[in-house]
Amino acid sequence: MKKENKIKSIIQAILTDLLFWIYIFGCISFLINHWFEKTIPSNFVVIFGIAVGLITFILGLSVGRKVFFPTIRTDKKWHKSFWGWSVFFILLITFVVGWNLVEVDLYKLFTKFRNAGGILSGIFDPNLNILTLCLTALAETIYLALLATVFAIPLAFSLSFFAARNLMPRTFIGNTVYIIVRTIATIFRSIEAIVWAIIFSVWVGIGPFAGMLALMIHSVASLTKLYSEQIENIDPGPVEAIKATGASTLQTWLFAVVPQIISPYLAFTIYRWDINVRMATIVGFVGGGGIGLLLLQQQQLLRWQNVGVIIWLIAIVVWTMDMVSAKVREKLQEM
Amino acid sequence: MKSIIELKNLHKVYATGTHALKGIDLEVKEGEFCILLGLSGSGKSTLLRCLNRLIEPTSGEIHIDGEDVIAAKGQKLRFIRRKIAMIFQQFNLIKNLSSLTNVLTGKLGYSTLIHSLTFPQHKNDVKIALENLRRVGLKEFANKKTRNLSGGQQQRVAIARALMQDPKIILADEPVASLDPATADSVMRYLGELNKKDNMTVICSLHFLSLARKYGTRVVALKDGKIVFDGTPEEIDEKKFKEIYGEDAEEVEIR
Ligand SMILES: Nc1ncnc2c1ncn2[C@@H]1O[C@H](COP(=O)(O)OP(=O)(O)OP(=O)(O)O)[C@@H](O)[C@H]1O
Ligand SMILES: [Mg+2]
């Protein structure tokens, strides 16, 4: 092993050990706090973790060594070695802490079933008198998902060419454009549609328009990524051939790239509409209008029979969209 | 006869560090049918792609039909490229478009964007495209998607596309390597005809000596990025062959 690599591995090993022990003492301190209501100061946890980590590392009882020096083989079975027991212990304590944090309560799960009786009876006895109201809200949801998808298509389509590595020349401008488009798309995609809905419901007010904008932004970002990956997977041969005829860059994209991506693009887009219809419901909960908003209102009023109607309608729409989109995508595959 | 392609000290070093062309000097005369021979990896494809700048050469000079190819940019480079048609081993057609549309793409170098988007409306272009398809014996396949054509038919569509450019030069990179011997010969016959009847200069890389002897007027052999032989096909005897392909090579003839 090279000397720099060795030093790097040692540092990584020590850091692993320190984090390992700080985490273990953190968990222990949480449990003591939880069960005995005694607070252990956090700097104490950190100092203790570092101290134990350093000592065990020096003594050679180290998990980090095992990870970063895989060449050091010991014939010991895991249950006879220090690192084996450490890993076992850390998994165990993580599980115990998780159980307590999530407040898992099997007693409630099995004995309080009757509390949900209202919802269940609502589902089997829906109040069909409010059907018109629900259908109006449902139409809002479907159309907002449709508009979000339709508006997203041209934007994502254009952007995807600039986010495709194989189309952007490896010049300064090419690289810059590629990196900027990719980064923005990644950031926007990693922000959930719900968060966008909260932002837009403040911006343009609660209602379907806010929901539409939220889904559109999210769709542009994720379609740009899917589309551009599709471009990166095209056969480069036709691009070469079209370039060689003396075609301009735009002509090359239109004649060699577009025909190769059009059918996967359609498939992705329909799939996206499908996702958008589902998300439109959720987005409604946080101010995006439509059936989601209605569901939230009826649930807060404890009108379980109304909630029942809404649940049925959502299920039917999601199920239909699922079938239609699967069928269309199947047809596209054959093209 | 006047020379149409002139290369001086052409080098290509790939980003990976591979030195694929090591100082190529070559002059090709108008009307020649020049066969490029050489082992896999000897630099044949690289050389052909440098000629129309599908690959950027690292250094050296390229003059084609009196124009400085290396200095050309934008519009100028497009105009040089449209005089040089290219045929590929994998045909490189756009598979889910019709033969006719594929042939029409050969006109892209002569068309504005608007014009190229409305190709089917331009009767004259369509007429020439159909005429070129007829020439390669595929007129009745005009509206068929090229993915449904056989390899030999696809290569003939590619030739029709090349004709659409009205080229002075045809670069062919192993045009028959994925075809069976009989089909290979029929495709080579079309290239031979373009060379003789239409006086197009052809540079064609091949792996079969038999085809080289039959169609070539000149053979240039590459080895490890350098020219190791330049002469007539008849001059390649057992000894020359071993120089090009290495001591262990056997001459495999396919008729
Ligand atoms: N895009 C590339 N990047 C890096 N190296 C490459 C690239 N293309 C080709 N090479 C290398 O350049 C050398 C010449 O390759 P080239 O494709 O020109 O050979 P060839 O004579 O056409 O071979 P073949 O008969 O297999 O087609 C090879 O060593 C190859 O590995
Ligand atoms: Mg090659």
Side-chain angles (χ1 to χ4, degrees):
Chain A
M1 211 188 292
K2 277 220 212 92
K3 197 160 179 214
E4 302 114 62
N5 283 347
K6 192 161 179 185
I7 293 174
K8 199 173 141 217
S9 298
I10 290 179
I11 293 175
Q12 284 171 325
I14 294 183
L15 285 179
T16 311
D17 273 13
L18 296 188
L19 285 177
F20 185 88
W21 284 103
I22 291 173
Y23 175 72
I24 287 191
F25 285 114
C27 288
I28 292 176
S29 116
F30 168 82
L31 290 176
I32 291 175
N33 193 349
H34 194 77
W35 287 328
F36 309 109
E37 292 182 3
K38 288 209 164 53
T39 319
I40 298 175
S42 57
N43 47 2
F44 188 74
V45 169
V46 173
I47 291 168
F48 214 66
I50 291 176
V52 175
L54 283 178
I55 292 169
T56 51
F57 185 82
I58 291 165
L59 292 178
L61 300 172
S62 162
V63 178
R65 276 180 204 244
K66 180 74 195 167
V67 178
F68 291 101
F69 293 93
T71 41
I72 301 175
R73 282 264 161 92
T74 45
D75 294 332
K76 286 187 203 160
K77 291 265 161 47
W78 75 267
H79 55 83
K80 288 195 182 141
S81 66
F82 176 78
W83 70 263
W85 279 106
S86 319
V87 171
F88 176 76
F89 184 66
I90 205 167
L91 292 179
L92 183 74
I93 201 166
T94 300
F95 182 76
V96 173
V97 167
W99 182 281
N100 283 289
L101 265 182
V102 180
E103 299 173 13
V104 174
D105 190 340
L106 295 177
Y107 175 76
K108 274 189 198 160
L109 180 65
F110 290 116
T111 58
K112 301 291 180 70
F113 175 70
R114 294 178 63 90
N115 289 355
I119 280 199
L120 280 185
S121 66
I123 288 176
F124 290 111
D125 181 21
N127 174 15
L128 293 178
N129 294 330
I130 63 151
L131 197 58
T132 333
L133 179 67
C134 291
L135 283 176
T136 318
L138 188 65
E140 238 175 68
T141 296
I142 295 176
Y143 280 87
L144 89 82
L146 179 67
L147 281 197
T149 318
V150 169
F151 288 151
I153 293 170
L155 286 169
F157 183 86
S158 328
L159 284 175
S160 64
F161 288 79
F162 299 95
R165 184 66 272 185
N166 53 341
L167 294 189
M168 286 294 101
R170 290 180 189 270
T171 57
F172 178 72
I173 296 178
N175 286 334
T176 315
V177 170
Y178 168 80
I179 290 171
I180 289 179
V181 176
R182 270 276 151 134
T183 313
I184 292 183
T186 310
I187 292 175
F188 276 37
R189 204 163 41 88
S190 61
I191 300 175
E192 286 290 337
I194 292 205
V195 179
W196 287 114
I198 294 173
I199 295 172
F200 282 115
S201 65
V202 178
W203 187 338
V204 300
I206 288 181
F209 185 47
M212 201 277 290
L213 289 172
L215 289 184
M216 187 185 91
I217 292 260
H218 199 255
S219 301
V220 170
S222 71
L223 281 179
T224 301
K225 174 162 182 290
L226 286 174
Y227 285 176
S228 61
E229 275 167 7
Q230 207 56 45
I231 295 182
E232 286 172 355
N233 282 333
I234 60 168
D235 175 5
V239 179
E240 230 183 0
I242 296 295
K243 240 194 207 167
T245 64
S248 66
T249 306
L250 201 51
Q251 284 174 329
T252 310
W253 289 3
L254 286 173
F255 280 87
V257 181
V258 172
Q260 290 195 62
I261 53 178
I262 209 80
S263 119
Y265 268 35
L266 281 175
F268 280 139
T269 309
I270 287 166
Y271 184 51
R272 191 69 222 173
W273 184 30
D274 188 359
I275 295 180
N276 277 349
V277 171
R278 289 155 205 254
M279 295 243 275
T281 314
I282 315 264
V283 156
F285 263 77
V286 292
I291 194 100
L293 190 59
L294 190 64
L295 178 59
L296 179 71
Q297 289 164 352
Q298 299 303 316
Q299 178 239 322
Q300 279 171 349
L301 295 171
L302 306 182
R303 302 261 167 81
W304 298 122
Q305 287 184 314
N306 297 356
V307 169
V309 186
I310 297 171
I311 289 177
W312 276 112
L313 287 178
I314 293 176
I316 291 170
V317 168
V318 167
W319 180 70
T320 320
M321 280 301 298
D322 223 34
M323 289 231 308
V324 173
S325 106
K327 270 272 178 299
V328 174
R329 273 180 288 144
E330 203 175 287
K331 280 270 176 289
L332 283 172
Q333 292 259 302
E334 290 161 13
M335 260 166 65
Chain B
M1 217 177 280
K2 89 177 209 275
S3 64
I4 189 160
I5 300 174
E6 282 175 274
L7 306 181
K8 286 209 190 88
N9 198 21
L10 192 69
H11 282 266
K12 172 64 192 178
V13 183
Y14 281 107
T16 53
T18 312
H19 203 153
L21 298 179
K22 298 172 179 162
I24 303 283
D25 291 296
L26 184 66
E27 219 174 281
V28 180
K29 300 254 184 299
E30 205 163 12
E32 275 188 310
F33 197 120
C34 180
I35 305 279
L36 274 185
L37 290 182
L39 278 175
S40 201
S42 56
K44 304 182 295 296
S45 301
T46 308
L47 176 59
L48 287 170
R49 280 169 176 71
C50 280
L51 291 179
N52 59 2
R53 293 252 313 270
L54 285 182
I55 291 178
E56 289 298 329
T58 311
S59 67
E61 285 178 36
I62 306 177
H63 286 270
I64 289 185
D65 205 17
E67 309 233 41
D68 184 347
V69 176
I70 305 231
K73 278 207 211 76
Q75 184 89 331
K76 188 88 188 289
L77 179 60
R78 291 182 57 193
F79 287 174
I80 294 176
R81 277 179 178 161
R82 68 187 191 188
K83 287 191 289 189
I84 312 171
M86 194 154 192
I87 313 255
F88 304 83
Q89 177 181 351
Q90 299 303 334
F91 324 130
N92 290 353
L93 300 172
I94 297 130
K95 291 210 173 57
N96 47 0
L97 296 183
S98 68
S99 309
L100 180 64
T101 313
N102 268 290
V103 175
L104 281 166
T105 60
K107 254 290 181 292
L108 285 174
Y110 295 88
S111 318
T112 60
L113 183 64
I114 306 289
H115 183 104
S116 57
L117 286 175
T118 52
F119 267 146
Q121 266 74 53
H122 296 272
K123 292 282 176 301
N124 203 35
D125 291 339
V126 175
K127 208 180 99 205
I128 301 173
L130 286 173
E131 170 57 25
N132 286 329
L133 272 173
R134 191 199 54 76
R135 211 174 151 184
V136 296
L138 290 174
K139 191 164 188 197
E140 59 278 27
F141 290 86
N143 293 318
K144 252 200 158 166
K145 284 192 180 170
T146 48
R147 79 157 77 255
N148 299 327
L149 303 184
S150 73
Q153 289 168 334
Q154 290 193 36
Q155 196 60 299
R156 277 144 67 195
V157 173
I159 292 177
R161 173 174 68 189
L163 282 175
M164 204 67 193
Q165 285 176 241
D166 196 11
K168 290 196 166 175
I169 300 170
I170 295 186
L171 307 176
D173 190 6
E174 297 186 29
V176 297
S178 11
L179 304 175
D180 64 73
T183 316
D185 192 70
S186 78
V187 166
M188 287 304 290
R189 242 192 336 262
Y190 283 109
L191 291 182
E193 188 191 302
L194 298 182
N195 173 246
K196 294 218 170 53
K197 273 202 195 145
D198 303 61
N199 197 34
M200 294 178 189
T201 310
V202 179
I203 305 184
C204 174
S205 68
L206 277 183
H207 276 310
F208 296 126
L209 217 48
S210 56
L211 289 174
R213 291 204 177 104
K214 190 164 171 191
Y215 294 98
T217 60
R218 177 181 176 188
V219 171
V220 171
L222 291 180
K223 187 175 186 180
D224 205 14
K226 293 190 196 116
I227 294 183
V228 293
F229 174 85
D230 187 352
T232 61
E234 293 74 31
E235 281 169 18
I236 300 186
D237 52 20
E238 186 81 357
K239 186 164 153 286
K240 283 272 166 359
F241 184 82
K242 291 222 156 131
E243 268 174 37
I244 300 169
Y245 284 100
E247 280 303 316
D248 302 332
E250 290 288 333
E251 193 171 327
V252 191
E253 285 294 317
I254 294 181
R255 270 165 265 276

